[in-house]
């Protein structure tokens, strides 16, 4: 069966904030110039927003630029931040509120909003379609089309392939989507973005990218405990007990709901650590328990974050396209925010692409993008905060936070030198025998839960009997190398119970089991596996989580 082929002026891979902002801006520019352009967005989720997960305290700077009248258009920014509380958690019972005077400036959220980023993306998708963009959810971009050294588009994944590779009833080959320019906006650790960085050597001379895993729940809480607009951040316990870094949050949005979550840096060294279990016990701390007790968990999700910032930012242009948003790593980790930066990169990409098309270009590298980026507030913001991540990794949250405070509140600029972190996150793991074993409490099913119960409320589903989308370069490594040395950490770093070490049916030893049906597409395994033996590729389009209001 032959592939269908479609051609566009601009093809955008990923319906997140960067991709949808780019789509809207390209069409705005075309309409202002009286030109007709064909723009297409492909999204692997079942709908726009289905796979979108973030904190989210949202800074509206880029949205103000894209749609100055967003309030009149009904953008779902309903809860302005009213108060910031920051706590240093010293133990499971103790915590101290940090006076605002000692909080780094970027942690203040006056003028920001507590939102569902998924709902904002759904709204942006509606704006894009109203402007004439073709939006195709449920289509996973499986491969790039590269010809004569130029990216020419993508192939979407085949539908109806069985686990053994045979064609099921209703098999449909993927489509060939070609474009003069393709923008890759897949989010953190996009599988095509990862290949483009490698194939076009976009990260040459850059620090390795660094990551965190963000785990989040949505709760309905007692209305008497609810304070719309309250933002709570914490640092310290529980991660400090395992010698790792990160932080946690609790945000009061509208309708009696709160977001609660933990971000654990994936530079941790103790293979016994489980970010999922750390998050569960976080909720037992009085600062969290006081709000959640008596409430009901509504949804759960997890997603990796690119935290390397300016030092790890790859070159973002290549022949035939651009790498934008969290696919490139534009998040500002000192603010714990990446949505406004992703959107701005999308706007800059759209302007550069429109100019190239207006000048008759098709596939040539858009070298002007680098100048646009370097003359933007996005570049300045990321450059000014370039020391934050390395300081946290090298010196821990306390000294790292002091450096951030000195730069942001005292100097009002960055230090005149650049701190670097040159060790990739997958290379930081120590042998299990050298590390403290961590004992995690059993779930109480009121405040704390197990992985499978959590995956259930993420509404995760994949078509049955399809090829496993988590590929092992060498299937022997998990049992022969990772198990004896690291007690196979995939059992613990995966927040969805995808990986298990189980007894063989004949009792002859252990085997590595992959429960791909559980995968919430967080990409942690692709990042943290110490042997870099696991590669995440797209499952059949529409598979994965379906996050409501996340």
């Amino acid at each position: 069966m032959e592939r269908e082929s479609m051609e566009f002026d601009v093809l955008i891979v990923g319906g997140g904030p960067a991709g949808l902002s780019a789509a809207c801006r390209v069409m705005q520019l075309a309409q202002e110039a009286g030109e007709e352009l064909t723009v297409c967005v492909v999204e692997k989720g079942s709908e726009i927003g289905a796979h979108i997960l973030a904190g989210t305290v949202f800074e509206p700077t880029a949205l103000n630029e894209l749609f100055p009248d967003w309030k009149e258009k009904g953008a779902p920014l309903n809860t302005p931040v009213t108060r910031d509380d920051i706590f240093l958690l010293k133990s499971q019972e103790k915590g101290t509120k940090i006076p605002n005077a000692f909080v780094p400036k970027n942690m203040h959220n006056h003028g920001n909003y507590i939102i569902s980023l998924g709902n904002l993306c759904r709204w942006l998708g509606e704006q894009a379609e109203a402007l004439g963009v073709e939006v195709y959810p449920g289509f996973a971009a499986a491969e790039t089309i590269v010809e004569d050294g130029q990216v020419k588009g993508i192939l979407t994944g085949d539908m109806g392939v069985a686990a053994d590779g045979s064609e099921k009833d209703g098999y449909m080959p993927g489509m060939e989507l070609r474009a003069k320019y393709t923008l890759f906006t897949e989010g953190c650790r996009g599988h095509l973005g990862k290949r483009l960085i490698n194939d076009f050597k976009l990260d040459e001379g850059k620090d390795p990218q660094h990551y965190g895993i963000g785990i989040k729940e949505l709760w309905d809480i007692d209305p008497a405990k609810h304070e719309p607009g309250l933002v709570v951040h914490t640092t310290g316990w529980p991660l400090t007990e395992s010698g790792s870094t990160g932080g946690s949050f609790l945000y009061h949005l509208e309708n009696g709901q709160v977001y609660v979550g933990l971000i654990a840096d994936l530079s941790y060294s103790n293979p016994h650590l489980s970010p999922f279990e750390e998050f569960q016990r976080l909720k037992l701390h009085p600062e969290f328990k006081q709000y959640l007790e008596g409430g009901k968990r509504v949804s759960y999700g997890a997603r990796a974050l690119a935290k390397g910032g300016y030092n790890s930012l790859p070159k973002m242009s290549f022949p035939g396209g651009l790498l934008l948003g969290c696919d490139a790593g534009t998040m500002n980790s000192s603010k714990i925010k990446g949505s406004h930066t992703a959107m701005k990169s999308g706007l800059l990409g759209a302007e550069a692409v429109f100019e190239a098309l207006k000048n008759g270009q098709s596939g040539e590298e858009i070298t002007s993008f680098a100048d646009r980026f370097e003359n933007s507030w996005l570049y300045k913001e990321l450059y000014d905060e370039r020391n934050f991540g390395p300081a946290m990794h090298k010196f821990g949250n306390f000294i790292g936070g002091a450096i951030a405070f000195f730069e942001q509140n005292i100097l009002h600029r960055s230090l005149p030198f650049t701190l670097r972190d040159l060790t990739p996150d997958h290379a930081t793991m120590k042998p299990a025998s050298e590390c403290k074993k961590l004992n995690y409490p059993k779930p109480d099913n009121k405040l704390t839960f197990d992985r499978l119960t959590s995956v259930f409320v993420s509404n995760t589903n994949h078509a049955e009997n399809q090829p496993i989308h988590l590929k092992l370069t060498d299937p022997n490594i998990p049992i022969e190398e990772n198990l004896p040395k690291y007690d196979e950490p995939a059992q613990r770093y995966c927040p969805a119970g995808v990986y298990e070490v189980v007894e063989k049916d004949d009792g002859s030893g252990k085997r590595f089991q992959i429960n791909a049906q559980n995968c919430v597409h967080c990409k942690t395994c692709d990042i943290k596996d110490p042997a870099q033996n696991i590669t995440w590729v797209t499952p059949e389009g529409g598979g994965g989580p379906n996050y409501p209001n996340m």
Side-chain angles (χ1 to χ4, degrees):
M1 196 182 295
E2 276 192 32
R3 292 183 184 274
E4 284 187 43
S5 182
M6 298 175 71
E7 295 200 7
F8 303 93
D9 293 306
V10 183
L11 174 64
I12 297 169
V13 180
L20 293 168
S21 296
C24 290
R25 187 67 185 132
V26 167
M27 292 304 270
Q28 286 176 343
L29 292 168
Q31 290 178 7
E32 288 167 13
E35 296 190 16
E36 286 193 16
L37 286 183
T38 54
V39 179
C40 174
V41 175
V42 289
E43 162 57 39
K44 65 182 173 67
S46 59
E47 63 168 356
I48 294 294
H51 289 179
I52 297 295
L53 186 73
T56 312
V57 173
F58 179 74
E59 182 178 314
T61 40
L63 181 61
N64 291 336
E65 294 178 20
L66 178 60
F67 291 112
D69 58 346
W70 57 261
K71 285 184 182 176
E72 290 76 14
K73 288 181 179 291
L77 278 65
N78 303 319
T79 311
V81 174
T82 55
R83 194 170 95 238
D84 281 295
D85 284 351
I86 300 185
F87 291 87
L88 172 62
L89 304 186
K90 298 176 179 178
S91 69
Q92 187 166 336
E93 295 298 328
K94 294 181 180 178
T96 302
K97 185 177 178 183
I98 300 172
N100 272 345
F102 296 105
V103 172
K105 187 174 63 175
N106 280 353
M107 295 297 292
H108 294 290
N109 284 291
H110 178 73
N112 296 333
Y113 295 81
I114 300 169
I115 70 163
S116 158
L117 186 61
N119 289 344
L120 179 63
C121 287
R122 291 178 179 97
W123 179 84
L124 284 170
E126 292 169 4
Q127 307 313 304
E129 289 184 311
L131 287 163
V133 177
E134 296 180 49
V135 179
Y136 297 144
F139 287 86
E143 301 285 345
T144 51
I145 300 170
V146 181
E147 294 169 357
D148 302 320
Q150 287 185 352
V151 172
K152 298 289 188 180
I154 58 108
L155 301 177
T156 66
D158 297 345
M159 306 287 276
V161 178
D164 62 4
S166 62
E167 296 174 8
K168 296 188 282 190
D169 291 343
Y171 166 79
M172 286 181 59
M175 297 177 67
E176 193 174 274
L177 303 180
R178 291 178 170 267
K180 294 173 182 174
Y181 285 102
T182 307
L183 311 185
F184 292 85
T185 59
E186 307 160 283
C188 174
R189 193 74 166 196
H191 86 291
L192 296 182
K194 176 183 165 184
R195 292 184 205 171
L196 290 164
I197 289 170
N198 181 63
D199 293 349
F200 288 96
K201 298 180 170 55
L202 302 179
D203 60 351
E204 216 165 49
K206 305 290 186 176
D207 290 3
Q209 185 60 267
H210 296 284
Y211 301 90
I213 176 173
I215 303 176
K216 173 183 173 181
E217 292 175 349
L218 172 65
W219 283 67
D220 289 330
I221 67 166
D222 181 347
K225 301 176 180 178
H226 188 245
E227 187 182 330
L230 172 60
V231 167
V232 177
H233 285 115
T234 78
T235 187
W237 186 89
L239 293 172
T240 45
E241 281 192 5
S242 57
S244 50
T245 54
S248 55
F249 60 86
L250 189 138
Y251 304 150
H252 292 240
L253 61 159
E254 66 262 36
N255 300 324
Q257 293 190 313
V258 297
Y259 295 134
V260 57
L262 174 80
I263 297 171
D265 291 340
L266 289 178
S267 56
Y268 70 83
S269 60
N270 185 342
H272 300 300
L273 184 141
S274 163
F276 175 87
E277 301 287 0
E278 296 286 334
F279 171 54
Q280 296 308 312
R281 67 184 187 138
L282 170 79
K283 291 180 289 178
L284 299 173
H285 194 282
E287 292 300 339
F288 290 84
K289 190 176 181 179
Q290 64 174 319
Y291 295 111
L292 302 178
E293 207 161 32
K296 180 187 176 186
R297 185 173 69 155
V298 176
S299 189
Y300 164 87
R303 188 69 173 92
L305 308 83
K307 298 185 70 180
Y310 174 84
N311 298 342
S312 306
L313 205 60
K315 183 183 177 190
M316 295 159 76
S317 64
F318 47 86
L322 297 171
L323 191 67
L324 301 171
C326 291
D327 219 351
T330 57
M331 176 178 162
N332 181 346
S333 63
S334 84
K335 287 185 174 182
I336 329 174
K337 293 179 182 63
S339 301
H340 69 294
T341 53
M343 290 180 70
K344 181 61 176 178
S345 75
L347 301 185
L348 294 168
E351 290 160 7
V353 163
F354 180 74
E355 181 184 55
L357 292 172
K358 197 169 66 172
N359 292 338
Q361 292 177 247
S362 177
E364 298 93 336
E365 183 167 353
I366 305 175
T367 53
S368 67
F369 176 80
D371 290 334
R372 285 183 181 274
F373 173 61
E374 287 172 15
N375 289 315
S376 71
W377 59 255
L378 172 58
Y379 176 91
K380 183 179 187 310
E381 181 172 319
L382 295 180
Y383 181 79
D384 286 350
E385 309 305 330
R386 69 193 184 282
N387 289 324
F388 180 83
M392 290 292 182
H393 285 184
K394 285 174 179 290
F395 307 120
N397 285 3
F398 188 72
I399 296 175
I403 291 171
F405 179 84
F406 182 68
E407 285 193 333
Q408 295 172 24
N409 296 47
I410 308 299
L411 282 184
H412 301 290
R413 59 180 174 80
S414 58
L415 292 163
F417 53 83
T418 299
L419 298 172
R420 311 205 94 84
D421 186 352
L422 302 178
T423 306
D425 292 343
H426 70 264
T428 58
M429 200 85 83
K430 292 179 179 176
S433 60
E434 296 177 12
C435 297
K436 173 187 174 184
K437 284 202 169 182
L438 302 169
N439 296 312
Y440 295 112
K442 289 183 178 179
D444 61 18
N445 296 315
K446 294 176 182 175
L447 290 178
T448 62
F449 305 90
D450 62 27
R451 283 175 171 79
L452 296 186
T453 307
S454 300
V455 171
F456 179 77
V457 296
S458 71
N459 303 306
T460 294
N461 188 55
H462 295 84
E464 295 286 355
N465 187 24
Q466 64 169 293
I468 289 176
H469 65 278
L470 302 151
K471 306 295 185 183
L472 301 180
T473 306
D474 181 346
N476 297 313
I477 282 177
I479 299 302
E480 293 181 6
E481 295 183 23
N482 283 355
L483 185 60
K485 189 170 184 181
Y486 302 112
D487 192 27
E488 184 43 86
Q491 302 175 90
R492 291 172 295 282
Y493 60 58
C494 173
V498 170
Y499 302 102
E500 292 182 281
V501 174
V502 299
E503 293 289 339
K504 290 182 178 177
D505 293 340
D506 62 6
S508 62
K510 308 277 189 184
R511 65 181 178 86
F512 191 57
Q513 180 167 298
I514 302 177
N515 307 308
Q517 176 72 245
N518 294 356
C519 179
V520 295
H521 300 195
C522 74
K523 313 291 182 69
T524 304
C525 56
D526 193 295
I527 296 163
K528 189 58 178 172
D529 179 60
Q532 290 294 276
N533 187 48
I534 302 173
T535 300
W536 190 99
V537 301
T538 50
E540 195 168 288
N546 281 281
Y547 293 134
N549 203 33
M550 289 284 265

